[in-house]
Amino acid sequence: LGAVYRDPRVPEAVRRQRSLMELHPDCPAGRCYEQIALRLSLGEHGEQEATDFWRRLLPQPGKEKAH
């Protein structure tokens, strides 16, 4: 999907329990995450894997999970 640059603002955001994009929207790591999200939304990379992930995660209409 893409690389994410090492950025000291990431652990800062985690410590503060805030979104990196909220605190530092133009930081290098934030721009990397933005590019990855754009690629996923456009289906450029990993479209099938992303779809499969959400299908496994979310219940399918008309199908009940066995408990």
Side-chain angles (χ1 to χ4, degrees), residues 8-38:
R9 294 172 198 101
V10 173
E12 174 200 346
V14 171
R15 278 192 305 277
R16 293 177 65 183
Q17 297 184 0
R18 304 271 302 276
S19 163
L20 176 67
M21 298 304 289
E22 179 184 345
L23 294 175
H24 306 288
D26 294 323
C27 72
R31 288 194 301 269
C32 292
Y33 289 129
E34 196 171 52
Q35 287 298 311
I36 290 170
L38 181 62

Side-chain angles (χ1 to χ4, degrees), residues 25-60:
D26 294 323
C27 72
R31 288 194 301 269
C32 292
Y33 289 129
E34 196 171 52
Q35 287 298 311
I36 290 170
L38 181 62
R39 285 185 189 126
L40 285 172
S41 69
L42 295 175
E44 292 179 19
H45 296 286
E47 180 177 343
Q48 185 63 40
E49 290 136 7
T51 301
D52 289 345
F53 169 79
W54 289 110
R55 283 188 181 144
R56 287 190 309 267
L57 184 65
L58 300 173
Q60 297 295 309

